[in-house]
Amino acid sequence: MVTFNHSDSGTPEKAWQAAHLPDRCTSLGVSGLERLIVVSAHPDDESLGVGGLIAHVAGLGLPIIVIVLSNGEASHPNSSTHDPARLAQLRRIEVTDALAHLAPNAQVRLLELPDGKLTENVDIAEGAINEAIGDAGDSTWVVAPWRADGHPDHAAASSAAERAVRTHRARLFEYPIWAWHWSTPDDAVWSAETVRVFELKPAEREAKARALALHRSQVRPLSESPGDEAIVPAGFRAHFARDFETLIEVHVRPKPQPDAHADPNQSLPAGYFDTVYSYGSDPWGFETRWYEKRKRAALLAALPRQRFGAALELGCSTGVLTAELAERCDTVLGIDLVEQPLGIARQRLAGRPGVSFERRALPGDWPEGEFGLIVLSEVGYYCSAADLRRLLERCRASLAPGGALVACHWRHPVVDYPLTGDAVHAQLTHVVGLQRTVHHLERDFVLEVYEQRPALSVAQRDGLVP
């Protein structure tokens, strides 16, 4: 994530004008567009980024839905005159006034998610965008903040939009805002292959300027007190007075359709996961979904010891859980079937002592050595019943004396997986020599810990009970 300070002078608009982006990039037309869905992380993002496009589509009489994810209440964290509640109230009024000017017939949906914490609420945002898209095809455009804009809320809005589009045939575009401030025209992010320019008519430019002016709490100081300075001062606002708007087209491959004829006697091949990762670097939302963060926290809390020696993580993916395991283990070996997520994992944990990653096809290509902790999280149901039995036996044989095997799996059926999560954990109960010491069951996932017999409880290890 790029770091920047909005109070810095940034790249002047004259530098962007000299770059002549319209001469370098493809012009974007709206031929075939039948409906526009605009996603805004904060009130004013939509007016800054695509106010002209909104006005143009409104002029065509096409339906428009604008989804504003937060109230923008964190815009002035150091204000002594406006608390977050008052800012939220002002900004709700401002965005509805601005959109009434740009597109009087647009539907405006205010989700009122917490400003600055959209990363923790991607699921809710995704659901709202999914609902807006409905059964639409590629005649619907979804336009969201740019994932590389340098603001975590913008990245979260982009993630929610991409996930929603993956289940539909809508087209996805993203609009930069803060990138005009921290970037320069020579940066590689402005690739002619993906950047599109949408030319604005004079009336559309005027409508956009008026809409921006209606976001008074952002374009004007709240007061003369320190901390009440304008967030979008004149110098920065100049980037949005151009006679064109800039969008980045994101080519999203559709979500893979389940194979109704999945063979329970055949483990999923590497090619399946290569396809999944071709849709994005975080296809399961490990980094953004609250569900995943909460589940990791539950898994870590279930570990029977505060610290372990050597740990083995099966199916480590991009290393999100690996990073947290490394805080509790002397060494961690992460294994995955495909190379793309391993590259991300290695980069995530570069320089972290004791952490390594290997590409292996399990259960056949099993690593040597003993491990005090083996983590089998969201992996078992990819195996055939026979491969799962082999995998669990190898886990048992590789546990160091006093070691623990923790398993966690999604419980809802996925038709293209050979097994269900419940079937995986049912098989765990048959592993000879292991005793279940933790059993946590929810509607969504099952989490269990198995230790070598006889196993002491955590309280017994701490001397609290005999």
Side-chain angles (χ1 to χ4, degrees):
M1 184 68 67
V2 175
T3 58
F4 63 90
N5 190 323
H6 75 272
S7 62
D8 295 339
S9 58
T11 303
E13 175 58 17
K14 288 183 179 180
W16 292 105
Q17 292 176 359
H20 301 291
L21 280 182
D23 296 337
R24 296 163 45 182
C25 303
T26 304
S27 179
L28 178 65
V30 298
S31 176
L33 173 65
E34 296 182 3
R35 182 168 54 154
L36 178 66
I37 299 171
V38 178
V39 181
S40 176
H42 315 96
D44 80 355
D45 288 342
E46 76 299 322
S47 299
L48 288 163
V50 286
L53 174 64
I54 293 172
H56 180 87
V57 175
L60 298 175
L62 299 176
I64 300 172
I65 300 174
V66 181
I67 303 172
V68 186
L69 302 184
S70 80
N71 288 328
E73 67 274 12
S75 65
H76 292 76
N78 299 317
S79 175
S80 60
T81 63
H82 290 63
D83 62 17
R86 185 179 180 190
L87 281 167
Q89 181 181 32
L90 287 175
R91 299 199 70 182
R92 284 196 298 267
I93 295 170
E94 290 169 355
V95 72
T96 53
D97 286 349
L99 287 168
H101 180 74
L102 289 172
N105 295 322
Q107 296 182 41
V108 183
R109 301 178 183 178
L110 306 178
L111 296 196
E112 302 193 55
L113 299 174
D115 185 8
K117 296 183 179 180
L118 295 186
T119 299
E120 301 173 13
N121 292 275
V122 172
D123 288 355
I124 298 174
E126 177 189 355
I129 301 167
N130 261 320
E131 181 182 356
I133 297 175
D135 58 357
D138 55 12
S139 60
T140 291
W141 289 10
V142 177
V143 182
W146 189 30
R147 64 194 61 199
D149 203 40
H151 193 300
D153 278 354
H154 292 192
S158 163
S159 178
E162 180 173 356
R163 291 185 196 172
V165 168
R166 280 185 62 205
T167 61
H168 301 275
R169 291 175 51 226
R171 294 179 69 183
L172 177 61
F173 297 88
E174 297 180 348
Y175 55 88
I177 293 179
W178 288 108
W180 305 121
H181 177 76
W182 57 257
S183 180
T184 68
D186 295 328
D187 287 347
V189 295
W190 307 110
S191 167
E193 296 180 0
T194 57
V195 176
R196 308 285 182 261
V197 293
F198 180 74
E199 298 179 4
L200 303 181
K201 300 174 182 177
E204 294 159 359
R205 292 179 64 190
E206 293 174 7
K208 177 175 181 173
R210 175 58 180 161
L212 286 176
L214 290 171
H215 289 280
R216 298 178 183 87
S217 69
Q218 305 303 293
V219 301
R220 301 178 187 174
L222 296 175
S223 75
E224 295 182 359
S225 300
D228 280 358
E229 297 82 6
I231 301 300
V232 186
F236 181 59
R237 199 159 64 247
H239 300 313
F240 307 97
R242 303 168 184 166
D243 57 5
F244 65 91
E245 290 175 336
T246 306
L247 296 98
I248 293 90
E249 184 164 12
V250 180
H251 297 284
V252 181
R253 296 186 182 184
K255 193 174 185 178
Q257 295 299 311
D259 180 3
H261 305 287
D263 186 353
N265 299 313
Q266 183 67 47
S267 296
L268 290 180
Y272 175 89
F273 300 99
D274 286 328
T275 300
V276 169
Y277 282 107
S278 72
Y279 305 139
S281 61
D282 189 22
W284 286 284
F286 295 140
E287 299 183 47
T288 55
R289 290 185 188 273
W290 166 240
Y291 166 82
E292 293 291 345
K293 294 180 180 180
R294 175 179 175 272
K295 185 182 65 177
R296 284 197 301 275
L299 186 152
L300 293 164
L303 297 182
R305 293 179 180 81
Q306 185 173 355
R307 188 150 193 92
F308 293 84
L312 172 65
E313 182 186 4
L314 308 178
C316 63
S317 186
T318 59
V320 179
L321 175 59
T322 318
E324 299 190 60
L325 290 172
E327 299 289 338
R328 304 270 298 273
C329 305
D330 296 338
T331 65
V332 182
L333 171 59
I335 291 176
D336 208 276
L337 182 60
V338 293
E339 184 59 38
Q340 181 176 336
L342 287 173
I344 299 171
R346 291 188 183 102
Q347 183 177 10
R348 183 191 305 279
L349 290 156
R352 188 71 171 266
V355 178
S356 59
F357 297 96
E358 296 179 3
R359 180 180 180 181
R360 291 176 179 265
L362 303 177
D365 187 15
W366 191 261
E368 295 182 357
E370 290 185 331
F371 302 92
L373 173 66
I374 298 178
V375 178
L376 180 72
S377 179
E378 310 294 4
V379 173
Y381 41 56
Y382 299 138
C383 298
S384 67
D387 279 347
L388 177 64
R389 287 193 294 271
R390 293 174 60 206
L391 180 69
L392 295 180
E393 177 55 31
R394 288 187 177 274
C395 288
R396 184 200 64 79
S398 296
L399 275 181
L405 167 64
V406 58
C408 184
H409 290 86
W410 176 252
R411 298 188 64 216
H412 301 284
V414 181
V415 72
D416 52 343
Y417 293 175
L419 300 173
T420 65
D422 285 349
V424 172
H425 285 253
Q427 186 61 40
L428 267 165
T429 64
H430 300 300
V431 179
V432 176
L434 295 186
Q435 177 181 350
R436 186 172 66 188
T437 55
V438 173
H439 176 62
H440 177 83
L441 185 67
E442 299 190 8
R443 286 183 293 175
D444 298 323
F445 70 89
V446 54
L447 167 65
E448 295 180 321
V449 175
Y450 282 80
E451 299 179 73
Q452 294 167 332
R453 296 178 182 271
L456 298 177
S457 72
V458 176
Q460 285 175 317
R461 289 191 181 104
D462 271 6
L464 300 176
V465 294

